Amino acid sequence: MMDGRINARALAAVAAAAAAAVALAGCGASAQASSAGTSSAGTGAEVPLVVYSAQGYDSDVTKAFSAATGIPVKLVDDSTGPLLTKVQAEKNNPQWGLLWVDGDTAFAALDQQGMLAPYTPSAALTAAGQQLGPSDHSYVPVSTTVMAAVIYNAARTSTVPASYDDLATAPYKGKVGMNDPSQSGPTFPFVAGMMNQLGGQSNGMAAGEAYFSKLKSNGLHVYPTNGDTLHALETGQIDYGIIQSSAAAGEVLKAKKSATFDPKVAYLPKATLLPGVIGIDKKAPAEVQAEARQFVDYVLSPAGQKVMQSADPHGDSLYWPIVPGVQAPAALPAMPDYQRIDPAFWGPLEGQINTWFDSAIK
């Protein structure tokens, strides 16, 4: 387990500047597929790179990448849970070339199944970013958020939790909501993080199950994704939401504060570090893998980071960078104290833990 703070970053120049595109793709949006770019410029590639992504800026990034390289991209955007289910269903005949979602636990599990092609990007990462990458280079971290931020409606309550245990006590009864880890990719690392924090790898599952059972007994509400939990907060169904830091920061930025709604954010000890990660399909044709490697380098380039930080200003763009010289958005606080869980241990347990959560807590 590693605690610390992420500092500001700088990057050795990688890719040519690209025109940012339009049309944001929501992190929790329903599945959609679109083509970006043509084969008339750059490499002249005829085979499209199929990108499975749950990032709010993915449409803009894929279009900017195509504009910069001439590589056509077919984007399939959905929530993380359905995308991971799709990847597993296609295990023997993958339809994707590149997967881009938040949370390294899922990638560690895919790596253990031999599904990822290793790649070491040409770009430099900060010291903190380098520590997030696996020793076999099977996937590449490209950003960080934390899970969870506790967002609360200060217009309805003046009680602010100081610990996760507080959320299971009487003042919070029936007032707390969180996402379903089977649907919301960032939420499984939070659940695993609580287990890790409460009992470590030896007793974490039992301790975590006891904790979430206490939350349920205290009236916990479970919603599919960040957006649904935020809607419940906005409409007064709950007063506290356990969500991803980027979604919480975005809600504070865009909220129309009133006498009945005034969102504020608290970070409890300790948040779980949540890397944004890219993996390449090991079974993809060599040409597609080459395109995917170019995509990784583009994302970590100044041009790619610029699109990432501007395309979803009230959502996924609110991340702490791990690229040297790239500054975190002004709307973000300093990185809160965090823990890093071992993705190789917790990743393979995702199916088991999510099944338990949906049967016992949801």
Side-chain angles (χ1 to χ4, degrees):
M1 177 163 46
M2 177 193 70
D3 297 328
R5 295 179 181 273
I6 291 181
N7 301 315
R9 346 267 172 193
L11 168 67
V14 183
V22 295
L24 302 180
C27 192
S30 58
Q32 58 178 329
S34 61
S35 294
T38 68
S39 60
S40 60
T43 64
E46 296 181 357
V47 179
L49 173 62
V50 179
V51 174
Y52 285 10
S53 174
Q55 303 293 3
Y57 37 65
D58 51 24
S59 178
D60 286 51
V61 173
T62 53
K63 290 176 181 177
F65 169 74
S66 290
T69 64
I71 296 172
V73 176
K74 180 181 179 182
L75 172 64
V76 178
D77 177 272
D78 204 346
S79 297
T80 301
L83 285 177
L84 294 178
T85 299
K86 187 173 175 65
V87 166
Q88 286 295 339
E90 298 171 355
K91 185 175 181 179
N92 295 324
N93 184 27
Q95 302 301 304
W96 58 283
L98 181 145
L99 175 66
W100 188 7
V101 300
D102 288 335
D104 52 0
T105 50
F107 290 87
L110 294 174
D111 182 29
Q112 291 183 20
Q113 297 174 59
M115 296 175 65
L116 300 177
Y119 180 55
T120 303
S122 59
L125 297 179
T126 63
Q130 292 172 28
Q131 292 174 353
L132 294 174
S135 59
D136 65 356
H137 306 286
S138 58
Y139 54 85
V140 181
V142 297
S143 63
T144 57
T145 56
V146 298
M147 188 68 193
V150 176
I151 188 167
Y152 62 96
N153 184 358
R156 287 171 53 97
T157 181
S158 59
T159 304
V160 182
S163 70
Y164 288 111
D165 285 337
D166 286 349
L167 298 175
T169 61
Y172 302 89
K173 188 173 183 63
K175 299 179 180 180
V176 179
M178 66 174 286
N179 307 341
D180 178 0
S182 294
Q183 294 293 316
S184 168
T187 303
F188 169 72
F190 165 68
V191 174
M194 289 303 302
M195 292 178 169
N196 186 74
Q197 183 166 308
L198 293 170
Q201 295 183 5
S202 61
N203 193 44
M205 289 184 65
E209 287 175 3
Y211 173 73
F212 285 104
S213 295
K214 285 169 61 177
L215 285 184
K216 180 181 179 179
S217 296
N218 206 43
L220 176 69
H221 302 265
V222 179
Y223 305 98
T225 63
N226 286 323
D228 303 291
T229 302
L230 284 172
H231 177 72
L233 184 77
E234 294 165 350
T235 55
Q237 300 172 56
I238 57 175
D239 290 340
Y240 304 86
I242 302 171
I243 62 173
Q244 190 175 5
S245 58
S246 51
E251 180 72 3
V252 172
L253 275 179
K254 69 182 180 182
K256 296 180 179 179
K257 297 181 181 179
S258 67
T260 58
F261 189 60
D262 182 14
K264 296 185 182 300
V265 178
Y267 291 97
L268 307 181
K270 293 189 181 289
T272 296
L273 189 65
L274 187 71
V277 178
I278 293 178
I280 299 171
D281 173 25
K282 190 174 184 177
K283 290 186 176 180
E287 182 180 7
V288 172
Q289 291 191 36
E291 292 174 346
R293 293 192 291 269
Q294 289 187 62
F295 187 89
V296 172
D297 287 340
Y298 177 78
V299 165
L300 291 172
S301 75
Q305 289 285 302
K306 183 176 181 180
V307 180
M308 285 172 62
Q309 288 195 311
S310 61
D312 190 15
H314 295 142
D316 286 340
S317 291
L318 297 168
Y319 64 87
W320 288 280
I322 58 172
V323 173
V326 180
Q327 302 298 319
L332 285 179
M335 171 69 79
D337 287 342
Y338 65 83
Q339 65 168 339
R340 183 190 171 202
I341 62 174
D342 181 0
F345 177 84
W346 292 104
L349 295 173
E350 182 166 358
Q352 178 182 344
I353 291 172
N354 285 352
T355 297
W356 169 82
F357 188 96
D358 282 349
S359 62
I361 305 300
K362 186 175 174 181

